[in-house]
Amino acid sequence: MKRQIGVTTWIFGNLNLVDTAEIIAQMGFNGVELYVDIDSVSVKDVKNIFANEGLEIFSLTPGNVDLASSDQKIRKFAIDYYKKLIDYGAELGQPVITCHEYIQNQMGSIYSGSIELLVESCREIALYASQANLKLGFEPLNRYLCRFILKSTDVLSLLAQINTSNLTIVLDAFHMNLEEDDPVKAIIRCGEQLSAYQIADSNRKGIGFGHIDFERHFAALDTIQYTGPIVFECAAPRQTPGSDSEDNLDELKLHLSASKDWLTNRKQALV
């Protein structure tokens, strides 16, 4: 089954978007999941940068804001941010707006947010996105990053409570490896609600550098007839979107290249 293959831009750390796009295009990828400071980089500039390299923008990665906070000001800030991100995405075309919980340090911390407030916030931004004819894709993370939506059953429950057709699911092989009893069953469970599939191996490196059985993952994607993008998200230890990171580009390109080669040379080629 033919699918487009992309790379998330935040794994390039402090590298500017022009150089990032050039590297991704030169490596033969089709597009990106874009992380960008929407207050400082114009839609026009983003369009030009990626159009010049022949790259599609599949999806947008959000900043780290708290949709579940019990502090009304913090939660309103998060909702308003997502609405601005949706407006930004609408000007770019029809990318999936990815969404997740607030990434937090839970070592001895006390958190006052709730799943009920998360549901309420997601309902509001999903309805806002539907007016722009855009999909939201909620991504389960893992217990070391967040508290409520950790696996496929959690995100499916969230979708059922909100019950809007444009709220979809993003699955990440790295996070699934930490939380799912069976990642293959998780993919099949999500089925047609899956809008993006992100890849990093068990150590967050490229395919083949860890122990995830990607043959079984892709067989499951074939089973559900998934036609959305495959997005590589190989990251440095403790790196998150927007973190101040000076990455080893040679190592990153090695993991991306090896992963793309694996996809291309499967028995049933994906590109």
Side-chain angles (χ1 to χ4, degrees):
M1 189 174 292
K2 189 174 183 179
R3 304 181 181 100
Q4 291 186 300
I5 302 175
V7 181
T8 188
T9 61
W10 66 261
I11 61 176
F12 287 84
N14 297 325
L15 193 67
N16 65 67
L17 274 183
V18 173
D19 291 339
T20 297
E22 183 178 3
I23 290 171
I24 293 170
Q26 287 177 347
M27 295 187 72
F29 291 98
N30 308 120
V32 299
E33 179 169 303
L34 174 66
Y35 175 78
V36 65
D37 182 348
I38 60 176
D39 292 321
S40 64
V41 183
S42 73
V43 170
K44 181 180 178 181
D45 286 344
V46 168
K47 280 184 173 180
N48 288 338
I49 288 167
F50 290 97
N52 288 343
E53 299 294 346
L55 295 170
E56 184 178 343
I57 299 173
F58 301 136
S59 46
L60 297 183
T61 296
N64 192 29
V65 295
D66 193 351
L67 291 168
S69 177
S70 58
D71 185 315
Q72 187 175 1
K73 289 183 179 179
I74 292 174
R75 193 159 64 90
K76 183 179 185 303
F77 177 86
I79 291 169
D80 289 345
Y81 167 78
Y82 269 100
K83 288 180 178 179
K84 289 194 295 182
L85 186 65
I86 289 163
D87 291 341
Y88 196 95
E91 288 190 64
L92 288 174
Q94 288 189 308
V96 174
I97 309 297
T98 68
C99 180
H100 55 69
E101 282 186 67
Y102 180 63
I103 297 173
Q104 52 191 291
N105 179 357
Q106 298 187 48
M107 298 297 291
S109 62
I110 297 174
Y111 181 64
S112 58
S114 70
I115 183 66
E116 292 79 14
L117 290 172
L118 180 65
V119 169
E120 186 179 325
S121 297
C122 287
R123 181 179 291 114
E124 183 173 344
I125 62 174
L127 290 172
Y128 189 86
S130 70
Q131 296 169 4
N133 198 30
L134 291 181
K135 290 181 179 180
L136 285 185
F138 200 100
E139 179 185 358
L141 300 180
N142 66 70
R143 69 192 68 192
Y144 305 109
L145 298 178
C146 64
R147 297 174 184 268
F148 305 123
I149 310 298
L150 308 181
K151 52 189 179 179
S152 57
T153 50
D154 297 332
V155 74
L156 284 165
S157 175
L158 179 74
L159 265 62
Q161 291 178 73
I162 294 172
N163 193 28
T164 60
S165 60
N166 69 317
L167 182 56
T168 63
I169 297 171
V170 176
L171 289 179
D172 182 305
F174 171 76
H175 297 305
M176 285 197 292
N177 176 68
L178 293 172
E179 296 295 344
E180 297 286 353
D181 296 332
D182 187 336
V184 169
K185 289 182 179 178
I187 292 169
I188 293 172
R189 187 179 292 128
C190 292
E192 64 182 11
Q193 292 168 294
L194 185 65
S195 61
Y197 175 74
Q198 299 173 346
I199 285 185
D201 214 321
S202 57
N203 49 13
R204 210 149 202 187
K205 296 182 180 181
I207 293 177
F209 289 84
H211 61 246
I212 294 176
D213 187 345
F214 282 105
E215 286 286 1
R216 293 185 68 234
H217 280 224
F218 278 91
L221 292 172
D222 291 344
T223 296
I224 66 171
Q225 298 184 320
Y226 173 72
T227 58
I230 306 297
V231 178
F232 288 111
E233 201 173 83
C234 311
R238 294 172 298 282
Q239 186 183 11
T240 56
S243 61
D244 189 22
S245 175
E246 294 287 352
D247 293 314
N248 184 328
L249 285 180
D250 289 336
E251 183 177 355
L252 177 57
K253 286 191 276 188
L254 169 66
H255 292 296
L256 293 175
S257 177
S259 299
K260 184 174 180 292
D261 286 347
W262 186 91
L263 288 179
T264 304
N265 295 321
R266 289 180 70 226
K267 188 175 181 181
Q268 294 181 331
L270 299 179
V271 292

